[in-house]
Structures are given as structure tokens and as C-alpha cells.
Amino acid sequence: MSIPTKIAISIILLSQSYYLMAESFGKIYFTSRAYNLCSKNAMDSYSYLQCLDAELKYQDRILNKNYKKTMKSIQEFRKNKLKRTQRAWIQYRDLKCSSYYHKESASGGLADQSTCLIYETIKRADELDNLY
């Protein structure tokens, strides 16, 4: 990542109060401002997990909106394949992210699992938004 890009991202992060969630294939993904504020104010791991849960619900709403928009915009013969693809993606996401948690890992594992679910959901929502 170039210096001007890093500076621009820093300015965006400071001005919008968004957390950089991850970078994948040169694309940058952010969490919501509400998550940023919630996680800053979380006093313990339970509070932080509540922030993660609220963010996952928020990102899931965006995913569902983008899925419905995509379903409306594609030809009828492609809808069944997109529906099957989405169901397979959900299974993939859930299985991938479940590997981050084990009952012996306590709340740290739950936070890692939730972070994975959020990140994968943000990426998929973006993919659907740019599919057609």
C-alpha cells in the first residue's frame, strides 16, 4: 500500500470513526461507526461481545439487502444458482469461523469467531453488491 493511500485511509478513519476490519485483495473493508463507539466503550469482554453481536446483525442486514437486490436484477434462470451459492457460502462461512472458537478458549475465542463472521459477511455483501 502506498504512502498516499495510507494517509488517505488514516484521514478517513479519523474523520468517520470507522474501524478498518481487514484488507483483502487490495480492497479495504470497514465496520460501522456504531461498532467503533460500542467497542471503545466496552468495559469488559461481555460488553465487547455484545458490540460484535450487534455489528454482525448490522452487517447481516446489509448482506440480505444486497442479496435481495441482486436476486431482483438477474435473469430468472440464474436465480436458483445464486440461491444455492448463497446457501453454500453461509455453510462455508459458519464452518470456517467456528474453527476460531472452542469452549476452552473462553471469550477470546468467541471474539475471534465473531470477528471472522463479521469480516466474511462484509466481504460477501460487497461481492453481491458488485456482482451485477
Side-chain angles (χ1 to χ4, degrees):
M1 188 179 304
S2 69
I3 299 294
T5 303
K6 287 181 182 179
I7 292 170
I9 290 171
S10 297
I11 292 169
I12 290 169
L13 291 174
L14 291 172
S15 66
Q16 299 296 319
S17 298
Y18 287 91
Y19 275 159
L20 172 64
M21 187 69 175
E23 181 180 359
S24 178
F25 299 105
K27 192 150 192 153
I28 299 168
Y29 299 96
F30 297 94
T31 52
S32 69
R33 184 169 192 207
Y35 169 75
N36 182 16
L37 295 172
C38 182
S39 62
K40 275 185 182 178
N41 295 321
M43 300 301 276
D44 53 32
S45 59
Y46 178 76
S47 300
Y48 181 63
L49 288 171
Q50 288 181 314
C51 299
L52 288 168
D53 186 54
E55 181 66 9
L56 180 57
K57 288 176 182 171
Y58 170 75
Q59 296 298 340
D60 199 44
R61 284 193 303 273
I62 294 171
L63 173 70
N64 290 332
K65 179 187 76 145
N66 291 353
Y67 174 77
K68 289 175 184 176
K69 182 186 84 165
T70 302
M71 283 295 275
K72 287 180 183 178
S73 70
I74 62 175
Q75 297 98 335
E76 197 61 40
F77 70 93
R78 293 183 184 198
K79 290 183 180 187
N80 189 42
K81 285 189 180 186
L82 178 60
K83 187 177 188 179
R84 289 185 4 231
T85 301
Q86 188 66 10
R87 286 181 179 167
W89 174 83
I90 291 168
Q91 289 179 335
Y92 160 78
R93 178 201 63 180
D94 291 350
L95 187 58
K96 175 184 178 180
C97 296
S98 71
S99 68
Y100 288 97
Y101 175 71
H102 185 274
K103 65 182 177 182
E104 294 175 8
S105 62
S107 61
L110 281 173
D112 292 343
Q113 180 183 18
S114 295
T115 299
C116 175
L117 290 167
I118 292 166
Y119 172 61
E120 293 298 326
T121 302
I122 290 171
K123 284 192 330 184
R124 181 63 178 164
D126 181 63
E127 180 181 16
L128 288 170
D129 192 40
N130 293 297
L131 198 55
Y132 294 97

